[in-house]
Amino acid sequence: MHRGCISLGDVQCDECHRIIPYPERYLVIDEGEGTILRLCVGCCLSKGYARFTEEKGQQVLTFFLEKP
C-alpha cells in the first residue's frame, strides 16, 4: 500500500538517508510482513513513484499512478 504523508521533522528517507524536514511530503510503502519503506520526494521522483501533473493550470506533485 502506498501512502503520501507530511513530515513532522523526525522522518528519515530509507533510500538516501536524509532527514525529511517539516512540512515536506514523503511516501510510505507498506511492503507487507511489517516492512515499511519511507522515501523522500527526490527518491520517489527518481524511482517513478511520484510525478508532476497539471491541474487547473498549476503543476502538482502526486503519488497516484497514472490514469489508464
Side-chain angles (χ1 to χ4, degrees):
M1 176 193 304
H2 291 208
R3 292 176 287 185
C5 302
I6 297 175
S7 176
L8 296 177
D10 58 352
V11 180
Q12 184 176 3
C13 178
D14 292 328
E15 184 71 24
C16 67
H17 304 289
R18 119 181 138 81
I19 299 296
I20 303 168
Y22 171 81
E24 192 174 309
R25 294 172 63 192
Y26 68 99
L27 180 67
V28 174
I29 301 173
D30 185 6
E31 297 178 333
E33 300 175 10
T35 305
I36 296 175
L37 183 65
R38 292 171 183 88
L39 298 174
C40 66
V41 172
C43 292
C44 286
L45 288 170
S46 67
K47 292 185 169 286
Y49 291 128
R51 62 186 171 86
F52 285 99
T53 61
E54 187 155 330
E55 292 182 18
K56 300 180 183 177
Q58 294 182 342
Q59 276 198 336
V60 177
L61 176 71
T62 184
F63 295 114
F64 293 118
L65 300 175
E66 284 190 49
K67 296 177 184 174

